[in-house]
Amino acid sequence: MTDLTSTPPAAPGEMYPQETGFAVLDEIRDAALEQLSPEVVDYLEGGAGTEATLRANRGAFGRWAIKPRPMSGVSGPDTGTEFLGLPLSAPVLTAPFGGDGLFHDGGQIAVARANAACGTASIVPEAGTFSYERVAEAAPAAARIAQLHPFEHFEVSAERARRAGYTTLCVTVDCSTAGFRVRNRTNRFSPDLAYFAGNQDGVGTPQVAEMFERLLGLSTPSWDWGRLAEATSRCALPWIAKGVLTADAAEQAIAAGAAALVVSNHGGRQLDPAPASLDALPEVAAAAAGRVPIALDSGVRTGSDIFTALALGADAVLIGRLAAYGLAAAGEEGVRRTIELLTEELRTVMMLAGTASVSDIDANCLTERPR
Ligand SMILES: Cc1cc2nc3c(=O)[nH]c(=O)nc-3n(C[C@H](O)[C@H](O)[C@H](O)COP(=O)(O)O)c2cc1C
């Protein structure tokens, strides 16, 4: 089988190692999109509404440039860090994405194994193809954060995650109803709900149809910060608020007890038009004022994007679609190669920007491009 997972050293006289597998992230995306049916491509790639948020997420990265620091003396930069006590070989976690078996049979099991191999971490989705338990059994070191929705069964799911060995919850706070997904509507997208039902087989957990009714309905009861604070105070685990884009939401989440924030617009899949995550990051970071760590997702596609997010106040990034491309392209090996390439690019950028460690990356490393 072709080895997709490692970069062999360049032979003498070769400028670049002669890759037999994926050499750049775009090759992984191309391979992924070739594997999938058009409806599943749209489910993966699409955003809500006119996809203004989706486009803005990428546009926001394009407005920043990283300042070169010539003759800095930095070599062998260290990408290692930690997030909420989890050691990470690079400031990268995979975002929770449900329906993962639509992309590859291995689903989040393959994603978690890839994270374990890379020294990074998974946020394991509630609406995934495999249960929290199965993912944790496959890769206990990487599957430590369980994502869940603030719905009726919240405390049952949280307890289930705790028993399966997860040490942190990630509560998606931007999904009181699913975004208006035009591509899925146009396709009459109607996947087998089993792909989203990995966690729907336990006592007290809702049937997957009920979960979808909640996700797609507009009149099912939706929670506020007070209810979330009460429910999480009864759970024995720290929790991350995923889906914060404003100073106000950051304040409310921290007041409700959040141990970390994810600045996210759900990859442009929820409110459209909404602010780009990167544009919202400085406001959220200023409001958090160092009280809790911050991750950013939505639009991260390169190692330089990771650098830019860290410079603007993030401690780590989550990758959603990038991880799904890796999964669809080549299962565990594809996700592993994705994380390797991201890390390799981040190290390159860090060296050229004269930053020896991720803690050296700050706003002084950036300049805004003239408009
Ligand atoms: C196919 C797919 C399914 C997703 N499912 C979930 C989910 O079940 N829960 C959740 O909180 N976020 C979900 N997300 C959002 C991701 O966690 C993340 O916020 C987003 O993908 C980040 O943007 P990016 O794809 O540009 O990296 C999903 C994203 C995708 C692409």
Side-chain angles (χ1 to χ4, degrees):
M1 208 174 83
T2 313
D3 179 11
L4 304 169
T5 59
S6 57
T7 307
E14 270 175 5
M15 185 172 284
Y16 289 101
Q18 294 307 293
E19 295 286 355
T20 50
F22 297 123
V24 294
L25 291 167
D26 277 350
E27 287 181 2
I28 298 181
R29 176 169 179 265
D30 291 347
L33 300 188
E34 262 174 37
Q35 309 281 328
L36 303 174
S37 68
E39 303 78 39
V40 174
V41 168
D42 277 344
Y43 165 66
L44 172 57
E45 295 273 74
T50 63
E51 301 189 340
T53 313
L54 187 68
R55 289 188 295 277
N57 282 336
R58 289 300 304 142
F61 282 100
R63 287 196 291 278
W64 292 99
I66 299 168
K67 292 186 212 165
R69 204 171 282 160
M71 306 303 292
S72 69
V74 168
S75 61
D78 179 6
T79 59
T81 187
E82 59 92 31
F83 190 74
L84 281 181
L86 271 183
L88 298 171
S89 64
V92 176
L93 300 94
T94 54
F97 57 92
D100 38 294
L102 287 164
F103 307 130
H104 186 277
D105 288 349
Q108 292 287 348
I109 290 179
V111 174
R113 286 191 171 134
N115 274 312
C118 293
T120 45
S122 280
I123 303 183
V124 179
E126 181 177 38
T129 307
F130 298 99
S131 64
Y132 293 143
E133 290 86 348
R134 285 195 62 189
V135 181
E137 277 157 22
R144 305 281 295 281
I145 306 177
Q147 176 270 335
L148 70 174
H149 297 95
F151 295 155
E152 292 303 315
H153 59 285
F154 181 85
E155 290 175 56
V156 176
S157 294
E159 178 55 15
R160 177 176 180 166
R162 192 188 66 76
R163 285 183 190 206
Y166 293 82
T167 53
T168 304
L169 304 174
C170 174
V171 184
T172 300
V173 297
D174 64 0
C175 199
S176 54
T177 189
F180 196 86
R181 312 258 173 95
V182 172
R183 295 201 214 186
N184 293 350
R185 285 171 174 253
T186 307
N187 292 330
R188 276 76 178 163
F189 184 54
S190 184
D192 184 341
L193 294 187
Y195 286 114
F196 300 83
N199 284 305
Q200 312 304 311
D201 57 357
V203 177
T205 53
Q207 294 306 304
V208 71
E210 181 196 335
M211 190 171 82
F212 269 86
E213 217 173 279
R214 287 181 179 281
L215 276 176
L216 298 173
L218 292 174
S219 15
T220 41
S222 82
W223 287 25
D224 59 17
W225 292 110
R227 184 158 179 197
L228 182 58
E230 275 174 34
T232 47
S233 72
R234 288 191 291 269
C235 298
L237 299 178
W239 61 280
I240 303 169
K242 173 175 180 284
V244 168
L245 287 172
T246 61
D248 182 54
E251 284 296 350
Q252 303 258 30
I254 293 169
L261 308 176
V262 182
V263 178
S264 169
N265 55 37
H266 217 110
R269 299 163 81 84
Q270 286 297 103
L271 182 62
D272 185 88
S277 286
L278 194 75
D279 288 340
L281 177 60
E283 170 180 331
V284 173
R291 287 176 289 172
V292 294
I294 294 176
L296 171 130
D297 78 19
S298 302
V300 173
R301 297 290 180 272
T302 65
S304 62
D305 292 344
I306 301 174
F307 187 102
T308 301
L310 265 51
L312 290 175
D315 298 289
V317 302
L318 316 186
I319 52 167
R321 292 184 183 82
L322 276 188
Y325 298 148
L327 179 64
E332 177 185 336
E333 293 186 358
V335 181
R336 206 164 107 181
R337 188 74 183 126
T338 299
I339 297 168
E340 278 179 4
L341 285 168
L342 270 179
T343 306
E344 196 177 325
E345 187 181 357
L346 174 61
R347 291 186 88 222
T348 306
V349 170
M350 284 174 70
M351 191 151 161
L352 295 173
T355 49
S357 69
V358 294
S359 60
D360 293 339
I361 302 173
D362 63 21
N364 293 323
C365 299
L366 297 186
T367 180
E368 265 186 276
R369 287 196 185 282
R371 300 229 175 163

